Amino acid sequence: MEDATAETALAWRDALRRGDVSAREVAERYLRRIEAHHELGAFLAVIGDQAHSDATAADARFAATSRSERSTLPRLHGLPIAVKDLVEVAGMATTRGSAALRHRVATADAPGVAMLRAAGAIPLGKTQVSELGLTGYSENAIAPPARNPLDPSRTPGGSSGGSAAAVAADLIPMGPGTDGGGSIRIPALACGLVGLKPGLGAVPGDLAAAAPSLHDEFGAPRLTVSGPLARDPADAAMLFDAQRGATREPALAAVRAADELTGLRIAYSAASPFASVYPIALSAESGCAFEAARERLAARGHRIDEATFAYDPEYPEAFTTSWTAGLSRLALAPDAAARLMPLTSLFRERARARTVEAHERAGARLRDFAADARQQWGAYDAVLTPGLTMLPPRVGTFTSMHPDDDYRLQCEWAPFTSMVNVSGLPAVAVPVMRLPTGHAMGVQLIGRIGSESQLLQLAAQLTSP
């Protein structure tokens, strides 16, 4: 497809605030691109009329603001975004990627969407996801699969795969995602983007009144957080600052000062807790990206130490049990249950067959894992791991398999992400290489609590010449 490396989100933001371009012109530009590239399957629904109305209102606000007061405009004034279809947008149906559920129209925005609207962002629509956000690819029974703009025969990952495809193809300048086991970082790595998974609680809306606890109903660590998908670290920082409602833009300021960061102690490890049950092997391309990242960080004056991390061999079973425990509460009539995807259906049956005590034991095991991982990783300022172990599989690969083989391949492809969700710590996915074939390869950096800005600085160092 045509080159999709147009203006950065930050450049669009600045042009809008100067009045060089109107919000309506920007919205129309992206709506045309969405229509022109519908074959990517990135969008499930587009709200062009509402976007035009919102953009017109943004332009009226701009016209009523004097030049000397333009700094008071919302920080994302007029910038288009899209929302993955696990998240409510007022006036739009929420499908959660499932043919088994009723697609109710939301009466209000989810907290994270409300925060971005207040910051001036304009939603253009809802993007493709995996069913209930369960898998690391974005294929379901309600719409065509999302495809990777770098190679449309391959998956863009999941569950934020539609949003990642939209950002990578320049159908939106940047986009919010959610991440419960890698759902921001996997698509970012697959599509050559920067994807930040903040620490639990860093984005206020993630611990809203409906779910304020750090643990789920079975006592497992709460996994899902909101974060940005962007084409570069500065765009990711700008969106992250807006998502958390920061008074100024501390993450963006940090990225702009990234060259000043040096002297960190960074662990270098390809250990995965899934290695106790699945063969975890890096492809040549993945290993090359991992080594390139190590060399670049060392050249920036950081101390890179090869670390030997030891993980609980029972992690795979405990994580799988806790990851799917919520399915035990999914009440469906038999005809609706028959419309579930095969993996969802099988894992729901198993979850419903377990006792509450079994789910609670798995939750306790993950709490212990989280404490141990934080202690091991806490000896360092950051931990560098590989990103994905291989190129993204082709669309249809996962769904053509038995659900157990589907899940196994997901764990073998992305064996380094879910452990970070369990720990509650922040992590960032960073593109490091573009292969001659056009595919991307990247790495993951894990930080300490509250280190999101520092992780974005490291991302800037990895992606700068």
Side-chain angles (χ1 to χ4, degrees):
M1 63 184 300
E2 70 194 68
D3 181 68
T5 57
E7 297 283 355
T8 65
L10 190 58
W12 280 120
R13 193 272 294 269
D14 292 346
L16 282 159
R17 294 173 77 87
R18 288 191 305 266
D20 296 346
V21 65
S22 71
R24 190 175 178 93
E25 288 171 331
V26 176
E28 288 175 347
R29 185 258 189 195
Y30 280 104
L31 288 168
R32 285 195 300 270
R33 288 193 61 78
I34 292 168
E35 183 177 4
H37 297 291
H38 62 88
E39 77 284 352
L40 290 175
F43 278 80
L44 286 173
V46 178
I47 47 173
D49 290 345
Q50 184 62 50
H52 283 135
S53 177
D54 292 344
T56 298
D59 288 337
R61 178 171 183 168
F62 181 87
T65 304
S66 67
R67 184 179 298 271
S68 63
E69 294 180 339
R70 286 179 186 171
S71 62
T72 66
L73 288 168
R75 69 182 54 180
L76 302 183
H77 163 74
L79 273 178
I81 60 168
V83 179
K84 66 187 289 189
D85 202 17
L86 301 179
V87 180
E88 292 80 9
V89 174
M92 297 194 73
T94 306
T95 73
R96 292 180 170 80
S98 180
L101 304 181
R102 291 180 60 190
H103 299 166
R104 293 184 172 88
V105 175
T107 58
D109 289 332
V113 177
M115 180 75 79
L116 292 177
R117 274 199 205 269
I122 297 175
L124 301 186
K126 304 287 284 291
T127 55
Q128 178 64 299
V129 294
S130 57
E131 185 170 52
L132 307 180
L134 280 176
T135 63
Y137 54 90
S138 296
E139 301 169 41
N140 55 45
I142 67 168
R147 294 180 178 274
N148 194 320
L150 303 183
D151 179 349
S153 73
R154 298 180 184 271
T155 179
S159 61
S160 304
S163 291
V167 175
D170 193 32
L171 310 186
I172 50 175
M174 61 183 183
T178 60
D179 190 316
S183 291
I184 288 173
R185 289 159 293 152
I186 293 169
L189 290 161
C191 295
L193 303 174
V194 174
L196 176 69
K197 183 208 90 68
L200 183 62
V203 174
D206 292 338
L207 293 177
S213 173
L214 297 179
H215 302 98
D216 68 17
E217 61 181 304
F218 301 111
R222 195 169 293 282
L223 302 175
T224 302
V225 299
S226 305
L229 283 157
R231 290 198 293 275
D232 65 35
D235 284 356
M238 178 176 66
L239 181 52
F240 173 57
D241 282 333
Q243 288 179 294
R244 60 178 171 164
T247 304
R248 292 188 171 81
E249 293 186 313
L252 181 55
V255 167
R256 287 170 166 162
D259 286 344
E260 300 173 11
L261 182 66
T262 190
L264 298 184
R265 187 181 180 212
I266 300 175
Y268 172 79
S269 172
S272 166
F274 284 106
S276 61
V277 295
Y278 300 125
I280 306 300
L282 302 185
S283 67
E285 299 92 343
S286 178
C288 187
F290 188 35
E291 179 61 21
R294 185 194 69 79
E295 292 176 354
R296 290 182 201 175
L297 291 172
R300 290 282 187 162
H302 303 298
R303 174 180 167 183
I304 313 298
D305 294 338
E306 186 169 4
T308 304
F309 296 130
Y311 297 122
D312 181 359
E314 299 302 319
Y315 174 87
E317 180 179 356
F319 176 78
T320 304
T321 298
S322 288
W323 179 241
T324 59
L327 294 175
S328 68
R329 303 294 201 227
L330 182 60
L332 294 172
D335 62 327
R339 295 194 294 273
L340 290 170
M341 295 288 285
L343 183 145
T344 310
S345 179
L346 179 61
F347 280 42
R348 175 175 176 262
E349 290 176 10
R350 291 174 179 171
R352 286 163 62 88
R354 295 188 189 101
T355 64
V356 170
E357 291 75 21
H359 288 139
E360 290 175 342
R361 284 194 299 272
R365 192 99 193 192
L366 288 190
R367 292 199 305 274
D368 290 343
F369 177 92
D372 180 63
R374 288 193 297 266
Q375 182 178 31
Q376 291 191 70
W377 299 340
Y380 304 88
D381 296 303
V383 176
L384 173 67
T385 78
L388 302 172
T389 62
M390 64 188 97
L391 292 179
R394 297 190 185 279
V395 171
T397 298
F398 291 106
T399 55
S400 68
M401 296 176 164
H402 183 278
D404 285 330
D405 293 325
D406 172 347
Y407 185 70
R408 171 190 53 77
L409 180 58
Q410 291 181 65
C411 295
E412 292 174 2
W413 180 43
F416 308 106
T417 57
S418 68
M419 62 183 182
V420 191
N421 297 80
V422 172
S423 77
L425 297 174
V428 66
V430 190
V432 173
M433 298 175 58
R434 187 61 63 91
L435 304 177
T437 56
H439 303 104
M441 274 291 167
V443 296
Q444 173 180 248
L445 281 156
I446 306 166
R448 293 173 172 168
I449 284 291
S451 68
E452 289 86 358
S453 293
Q454 186 176 86
L455 288 174
L456 289 167
Q457 287 181 303
L458 292 171
Q461 291 185 346
L462 284 173
T463 55
S464 298

